[in-house]
Short mmCIF file of all heavy atoms in Angstrom, two decimals:
data_model
loop_
_atom_site.label_atom_id
_atom_site.label_comp_id
_atom_site.label_asym_id
_atom_site.label_seq_id
_atom_site.Cartn_x
_atom_site.Cartn_y
_atom_site.Cartn_z
N GLY P 1 6.40 61.84 10.36
CA GLY P 1 5.92 63.12 10.77
C GLY P 1 4.73 63.60 9.80
O GLY P 1 4.23 64.58 10.05
N GLU P 2 4.46 62.66 8.86
CA GLU P 2 3.37 63.02 7.95
C GLU P 2 1.93 62.92 8.59
O GLU P 2 0.85 63.45 8.07
CB GLU P 2 3.37 62.07 6.73
CG GLU P 2 4.67 62.23 5.97
CD GLU P 2 4.73 61.14 4.68
OE1 GLU P 2 3.66 61.04 3.97
OE2 GLU P 2 5.84 60.51 4.64
N ILE P 3 1.89 62.01 9.56
CA ILE P 3 0.50 61.89 10.30
C ILE P 3 0.62 62.39 11.72
O ILE P 3 1.30 61.83 12.56
CB ILE P 3 0.16 60.37 10.33
CG1 ILE P 3 0.08 59.95 8.85
CG2 ILE P 3 -1.17 60.22 10.98
CD1 ILE P 3 -0.25 58.41 8.83
N PRO P 4 0.03 63.53 12.06
CA PRO P 4 0.17 64.15 13.38
C PRO P 4 -0.36 63.14 14.48
O PRO P 4 -1.36 62.41 14.11
CB PRO P 4 -0.64 65.41 13.35
CG PRO P 4 -1.48 65.21 12.14
CD PRO P 4 -0.84 64.28 11.11
N VAL P 5 0.04 63.29 15.66
CA VAL P 5 -0.40 62.54 16.74
C VAL P 5 -0.88 63.41 17.88
O VAL P 5 -0.17 64.34 18.29
CB VAL P 5 0.69 61.53 17.25
CG1 VAL P 5 0.25 60.84 18.52
CG2 VAL P 5 0.98 60.60 16.07
N GLU P 6 -2.14 62.99 18.57
CA GLU P 6 -2.30 63.80 19.78
C GLU P 6 -2.39 62.65 20.84
O GLU P 6 -3.25 61.82 20.84
CB GLU P 6 -3.71 64.38 19.71
CG GLU P 6 -3.77 65.65 18.74
CD GLU P 6 -5.12 66.37 18.79
OE1 GLU P 6 -6.11 65.79 19.45
OE2 GLU P 6 -5.19 67.48 18.21
N GLU P 7 -1.45 62.84 21.87
CA GLU P 7 -1.26 61.78 22.83
C GLU P 7 -1.60 62.43 24.28
O GLU P 7 -1.03 63.52 24.49
CB GLU P 7 0.12 61.19 22.89
CG GLU P 7 0.45 60.21 24.04
CD GLU P 7 1.93 60.18 24.31
OE1 GLU P 7 2.71 60.73 23.50
OE2 GLU P 7 2.23 59.36 25.19
N ASP P 8 -2.40 61.76 24.98
CA ASP P 8 -2.84 62.25 26.28
C ASP P 8 -1.60 62.53 27.29
O ASP P 8 -1.73 63.52 28.09
CB ASP P 8 -3.94 61.42 27.00
CG ASP P 8 -3.58 59.95 27.15
OD1 ASP P 8 -2.44 59.57 26.73
OD2 ASP P 8 -4.31 59.29 27.85
N ALA P 9 -0.71 61.58 27.26
CA ALA P 9 0.37 61.73 28.18
C ALA P 9 1.26 62.93 27.82
O ALA P 9 1.65 63.64 28.73
CB ALA P 9 1.33 60.52 28.11
N GLN P 10 1.44 63.23 26.53
CA GLN P 10 2.00 64.45 26.08
C GLN P 10 1.31 65.73 26.54
O GLN P 10 1.90 66.67 26.93
CB GLN P 10 2.29 64.41 24.55
CG GLN P 10 3.16 65.62 24.03
CD GLN P 10 3.10 65.73 22.58
OE1 GLN P 10 2.19 65.24 21.89
NE2 GLN P 10 4.16 66.36 21.96
N GLN P 11 0.01 65.61 26.29
CA GLN P 11 -0.79 66.76 26.68
C GLN P 11 -0.79 67.15 28.13
O GLN P 11 -0.68 68.23 28.58
CB GLN P 11 -2.30 66.53 26.30
CG GLN P 11 -2.47 66.48 24.70
CD GLN P 11 -3.86 65.93 24.31
OE1 GLN P 11 -4.66 65.44 25.27
NE2 GLN P 11 -4.14 66.04 23.14
N PHE P 12 -0.70 66.08 29.00
CA PHE P 12 -0.56 66.18 30.44
C PHE P 12 0.69 66.89 30.77
O PHE P 12 0.78 67.72 31.58
CB PHE P 12 -0.68 64.80 31.15
CG PHE P 12 -0.38 64.75 32.58
CD1 PHE P 12 -1.11 65.50 33.47
CD2 PHE P 12 0.75 64.20 32.94
CE1 PHE P 12 -0.71 65.42 34.88
CE2 PHE P 12 1.23 64.09 34.27
CZ PHE P 12 0.48 64.79 35.27
N GLU P 13 1.80 66.39 30.08
CA GLU P 13 3.13 66.93 30.45
C GLU P 13 3.18 68.45 29.99
O GLU P 13 3.73 69.18 30.72
CB GLU P 13 4.11 66.14 29.66
CG GLU P 13 5.59 66.30 30.13
CD GLU P 13 6.50 65.22 29.75
OE1 GLU P 13 6.09 64.16 29.16
OE2 GLU P 13 7.70 65.32 30.19
N GLU P 14 2.54 68.81 28.86
CA GLU P 14 2.51 70.11 28.39
C GLU P 14 1.78 71.05 29.27
O GLU P 14 2.24 72.12 29.57
CB GLU P 14 1.92 70.11 27.01
CG GLU P 14 1.74 71.48 26.38
CD GLU P 14 3.12 72.23 26.05
OE1 GLU P 14 4.01 71.53 25.89
OE2 GLU P 14 3.03 73.48 26.05
N LEU P 15 0.74 70.58 29.80
CA LEU P 15 -0.10 71.31 30.82
C LEU P 15 0.76 71.55 32.08
O LEU P 15 0.68 72.73 32.78
CB LEU P 15 -1.38 70.70 31.11
CG LEU P 15 -2.37 70.73 30.01
CD1 LEU P 15 -3.53 69.69 30.31
CD2 LEU P 15 -2.93 72.04 29.77
N CYS P 16 1.39 70.54 32.54
CA CYS P 16 2.32 70.70 33.75
C CYS P 16 3.41 71.78 33.42
O CYS P 16 3.77 72.60 34.30
CB CYS P 16 3.01 69.36 34.09
SG CYS P 16 1.80 68.11 34.71
N TYR P 17 3.98 71.74 32.25
CA TYR P 17 5.01 72.75 31.90
C TYR P 17 4.36 74.19 31.81
O TYR P 17 4.98 75.07 32.43
CB TYR P 17 5.52 72.42 30.57
CG TYR P 17 6.53 73.37 29.93
CD1 TYR P 17 7.76 73.56 30.37
CD2 TYR P 17 6.00 74.38 28.90
CE1 TYR P 17 8.59 74.61 29.95
CE2 TYR P 17 6.78 75.29 28.48
CZ TYR P 17 8.12 75.42 28.99
OH TYR P 17 8.96 76.41 28.38
N ARG P 18 3.18 74.35 31.25
CA ARG P 18 2.53 75.64 31.28
C ARG P 18 2.21 76.19 32.70
O ARG P 18 2.40 77.38 32.97
CB ARG P 18 1.27 75.57 30.48
CG ARG P 18 1.48 75.32 28.89
CD ARG P 18 0.16 75.22 28.29
NE ARG P 18 0.30 74.98 26.82
CZ ARG P 18 -0.65 74.89 25.97
NH1 ARG P 18 -2.03 75.09 26.34
NH2 ARG P 18 -0.46 74.53 24.70
N ALA P 19 1.91 75.17 33.51
CA ALA P 19 1.53 75.63 34.99
C ALA P 19 2.90 76.10 35.62
O ALA P 19 2.87 77.14 36.33
CB ALA P 19 1.03 74.39 35.70
N ARG P 20 4.07 75.46 35.47
CA ARG P 20 5.31 75.85 35.97
C ARG P 20 5.61 77.26 35.43
O ARG P 20 6.12 78.12 36.11
CB ARG P 20 6.38 74.87 35.65
CG ARG P 20 6.33 73.56 36.39
CD ARG P 20 7.53 72.83 36.37
NE ARG P 20 8.05 72.50 34.97
CZ ARG P 20 7.58 71.37 34.38
NH1 ARG P 20 6.83 70.53 34.94
NH2 ARG P 20 7.98 71.13 33.10
N GLN P 21 5.43 77.51 34.06
CA GLN P 21 5.75 78.80 33.46
C GLN P 21 4.93 79.94 34.10
O GLN P 21 5.39 81.03 34.38
CB GLN P 21 5.56 78.69 31.98
CG GLN P 21 6.55 77.82 31.22
CD GLN P 21 8.09 78.38 31.39
OE1 GLN P 21 8.86 77.76 32.03
NE2 GLN P 21 8.25 79.65 30.87
N ALA P 22 3.58 79.69 34.25
CA ALA P 22 2.74 80.62 34.88
C ALA P 22 3.10 80.94 36.30
O ALA P 22 3.11 82.13 36.67
CB ALA P 22 1.26 80.13 34.80
N ASN P 23 3.62 80.00 37.02
CA ASN P 23 3.94 80.20 38.27
C ASN P 23 5.18 81.07 38.40
O ASN P 23 5.43 81.90 39.16
CB ASN P 23 4.29 78.89 39.10
CG ASN P 23 4.46 78.91 40.53
OD1 ASN P 23 3.97 79.95 41.22
ND2 ASN P 23 5.42 78.20 41.08
N MET P 24 6.23 80.75 37.49
CA MET P 24 7.45 81.53 37.42
C MET P 24 7.08 82.98 37.02
O MET P 24 7.84 83.99 37.28
CB MET P 24 8.39 80.92 36.41
CG MET P 24 8.91 79.57 36.82
SD MET P 24 9.92 78.68 35.59
CE MET P 24 11.27 80.01 35.36
N ASP P 25 6.13 83.12 36.21
CA ASP P 25 5.79 84.52 35.80
C ASP P 25 4.92 85.29 36.85
O ASP P 25 4.46 86.41 36.59
CB ASP P 25 4.86 84.44 34.41
CG ASP P 25 5.79 83.91 33.25
OD1 ASP P 25 6.99 83.95 33.25
OD2 ASP P 25 5.13 83.44 32.31
N GLY P 26 4.59 84.56 37.89
CA GLY P 26 3.79 85.20 38.94
C GLY P 26 2.30 85.33 38.53
O GLY P 26 1.53 86.11 39.28
N ASN P 27 1.80 84.52 37.61
CA ASN P 27 0.41 84.58 37.38
C ASN P 27 -0.40 83.39 38.09
O ASN P 27 -0.52 82.48 37.59
CB ASN P 27 0.17 84.50 35.80
CG ASN P 27 -1.29 84.77 35.39
OD1 ASN P 27 -2.22 84.53 36.15
ND2 ASN P 27 -1.38 85.24 34.09
#
């Protein structure tokens, strides 16, 4: 955990999650 990681697959999954949340919020 001492060296942070930015992974494209994780970023893709996070964006999909945010999209679902925005849809649930009616935005």
Side-chain angles (χ1 to χ4, degrees):
E2 299 176 47
I3 301 176
V5 174
E6 288 187 356
E7 179 199 357
D8 58 353
Q10 181 192 27
Q11 291 169 352
F12 168 69
E13 196 160 0
E14 176 65 24
L15 289 167
C16 291
Y17 172 77
R18 291 182 183 179
R20 289 195 301 271
Q21 289 298 115
N23 188 36
M24 291 174 63
D25 295 339
N27 192 330

